[in-house]
Amino acid sequence: MPELGVVSGYLLKLIRGSLGCTQVELAERLGVDDNTVQGWESGRRPLSALRAVDLSRLSQRLTLLGAPAVATSLLATAIEADGFLTTAIRAGSAEIPIWENPLASSVHRRSFVALVTWPFTGIVPSTVRHLPIPKGRGPVADRPQLSRAMQRLFFDQMLTSAEIAGHQATLLRRQATYLLAFDDRKESAQWLAREHRRTAARAIDERDLPSGILSRTASLAIARQGDLDPVRHFIQGTLADNNQTLASLTYWAYWLGEIPETFSDDGEMVELGARSWSGHRLIEHLITHLDDPRNAEMNIHSLLCLVMARKELLESDADLRQRTALAIERADTNELGRHARTELANLRFATQLAGR
């Protein structure tokens, strides 16, 4: 199977849309052949084939033409996402040695995973959500295109990776588990249910922070498919421990890019990153996601823990206090469990107290 270029190609299409030009016009501005731009956007000529210096020049040229820098700077990550998709789809259900598996090499961030899952969900990464899709002669796809066969092969590899990871390669197992939540097949739902039962059945040592993060991922994966009980169990069980709570917040700060360093495993990330985040990006994310029906209870709990751990966030910013208070009122619905409603009340009180 040839190298895929669907994610970076579709991102380039959005960048072209931000410039308001056709493929022919963009080709003229870049000084390349019309077929080159068409090949880049379709993935037939993947951008990964460019030398690093040529990709850098392309990004700079697009920015100088007026494209948003936040979009052009994402091209390199989009190419990385294409490479990951290619590796997984080529392998299918066959085993990839752990030392060659990209799921085991580093702790992924939201910016990368949002690009990887874009073809499956159709959810445009937040940093480029405002960019228009340029009009074409016929129907225009609303996402990077992967065939159903390719999608099945990708999730076959996620299942295989999770299984071969066993109980030792925690990072590999956790990151494969997270991605399996985007598969709508019955076998993946059954595997996720077994994984949650496995992680929930044993008491997690307060010093075993990677296992806590694995349990967090398993419960949130089940929540994505509509079952909130595992998340509630995780909040009231594992997150009752302060060390596990701090590890969860640190992971979330890393996930959102608030910790700039890249780490090779979860243990290293929570140990070395714990003191390097302020919580500003995390709190901004949480207050805009308190009404997320699948993640509201985890977000409410995390926000309460955050404002208790970083009291200066609300004490020093009246505007943030006001926006937090409004988010709390919007989140107060009958769908919340009893524990979440209690935490929401505590959060309301903590916000009021911070303004005195």
Side-chain angles (χ1 to χ4, degrees), residues 163 167 173 177 186-204 211 214-223 225 227 229-231 233-234 238:
E163 285 293 342
H167 307 315
R173 192 177 185 92
T177 297
K186 183 178 180 180
E187 55 262 46
S188 290
Q190 292 173 337
W191 190 93
L192 288 171
R194 290 195 300 272
E195 176 69 355
H196 168 68
R197 289 195 296 270
R198 185 188 71 81
T199 58
R202 65 189 185 91
I204 296 176
S211 289
L214 173 60
S215 181
R216 175 188 190 274
T217 297
S219 63
L220 288 175
I222 297 291
Q225 300 192 346
D227 184 358
D229 285 342
V231 168
H233 181 274
F234 176 74
T238 302

Side-chain angles (χ1 to χ4, degrees), residues 316-336:
S316 61
D317 191 331
D319 176 68
L320 180 58
R321 282 199 307 274
Q322 182 178 17
R323 289 187 289 117
T324 301
L326 289 173
I328 291 169
E329 297 312 313
R330 288 195 299 268
D332 195 358
T333 66
N334 293 329
E335 286 73 27
L336 293 175

Side-chain angles (χ1 to χ4, degrees), residues 41-269:
E41 290 190 3
S42 68
R44 181 171 49 83
R45 293 183 179 179
L47 286 167
S48 59
L50 293 177
R51 296 182 305 166
V53 65
D54 291 330
L55 176 64
S56 177
R57 286 170 180 161
L58 174 62
S59 298
Q60 291 172 4
R61 182 62 177 154
L62 290 168
T63 304
L64 290 171
L65 288 173
V70 68
T72 58
S73 64
L74 200 58
L75 276 172
T77 307
I79 291 172
E80 183 184 355
D82 279 326
F84 174 56
L85 289 168
T86 301
T87 298
I89 292 169
R90 279 177 179 167
S93 59
E95 291 188 10
I96 300 175
I98 291 178
W99 57 89
E100 295 180 6
N101 196 315
L103 285 167
S105 62
S106 65
V107 184
H108 291 164
R109 285 191 171 88
R110 183 191 189 200
S111 55
F112 173 73
V113 175
L115 291 166
V116 168
T117 57
W118 194 0
F120 309 110
T121 66
I123 299 174
V124 184
S126 58
T127 52
V128 293
R129 200 165 289 166
H130 62 290
L131 301 185
I133 301 175
K135 295 180 180 179
R137 295 178 181 177
V140 180
D142 66 347
R143 67 186 73 184
Q145 296 295 290
L146 287 177
S147 68
R148 289 297 297 176
M150 286 184 175
Q151 293 186 38
R152 287 194 297 271
L153 287 168
F154 176 81
F155 288 118
D156 284 346
Q157 178 53 221
M158 296 306 100
L159 279 168
T160 298
S161 290
E163 285 293 342
I164 68 169
H167 307 315
Q168 302 303 316
T170 306
L171 178 65
L172 173 58
R173 192 177 185 92
R174 182 181 67 74
Q175 298 194 140
T177 297
Y178 181 85
L179 289 168
L180 280 172
F182 295 90
D183 188 8
D184 58 8
R185 296 180 302 175
K186 183 178 180 180
E187 55 262 46
S188 290
Q190 292 173 337
W191 190 93
L192 288 171
R194 290 195 300 272
E195 176 69 355
H196 168 68
R197 289 195 296 270
R198 185 188 71 81
T199 58
R202 65 189 185 91
I204 296 176
D205 191 308
E206 64 180 25
R207 296 164 296 181
D208 187 2
L209 303 181
S211 289
I213 295 174
L214 173 60
S215 181
R216 175 188 190 274
T217 297
S219 63
L220 288 175
I222 297 291
R224 178 171 287 278
Q225 300 192 346
D227 184 358
L228 299 183
D229 285 342
V231 168
R232 291 166 177 164
H233 181 274
F234 176 74
I235 290 171
Q236 297 176 53
T238 302
L239 290 188
D241 176 75
N242 289 336
N243 290 328
Q244 291 289 352
T245 295
L246 178 58
S248 180
L249 290 175
T250 299
Y251 170 68
W252 214 327
Y254 177 90
W255 172 256
L256 294 172
E258 193 165 346
I259 299 173
E261 296 83 6
T262 298
F263 297 102
S264 60
D265 61 63
D266 290 331
E268 183 183 54
M269 180 265 296

